[in-house]
Amino acid sequence: ELYKVIKGLDPVGQQLLVLKLQGYSTAEIAGKLGITEKAVYRRMDRIKEKIKKYYFTNIKYSVIVTA
């Protein structure tokens, strides 16, 4: 299910998330992607919000319906 959220991200967002999951620091990610550290933080915040929104609208709802 999380795959749908990841697939919906733009290419830079996908790269950022993969690098973060691989354990790269914010500074390393910024350097690899050619963006500022602040941009990395902003993008990660947006990605987290998308994941939360997906979770609460799809997974939580399906638990309520099946319960």
Side-chain angles (χ1 to χ4, degrees), residues 12-65:
V12 174
Q14 290 176 354
Q15 289 177 316
L16 189 151
L17 185 56
V18 168
L19 291 169
K20 193 66 172 170
L21 292 173
Q22 289 177 339
Y24 286 92
S25 71
T26 302
E28 291 170 320
I29 294 169
K32 286 182 179 291
L33 299 180
I35 60 178
T36 65
E37 288 185 48
K38 187 173 181 177
V40 172
Y41 285 116
R42 280 195 313 263
R43 284 178 166 270
M44 278 306 300
D45 285 342
R46 288 188 206 125
I47 290 169
K48 286 187 253 182
E49 286 303 314
K50 286 182 182 184
I51 292 169
K52 286 179 193 174
K53 183 178 178 182
Y54 181 83
Y55 173 78
F56 284 112
T57 58
N58 293 302
I59 297 173
K60 188 175 180 181
Y61 177 74
S62 70
V63 170
I64 292 170
V65 171

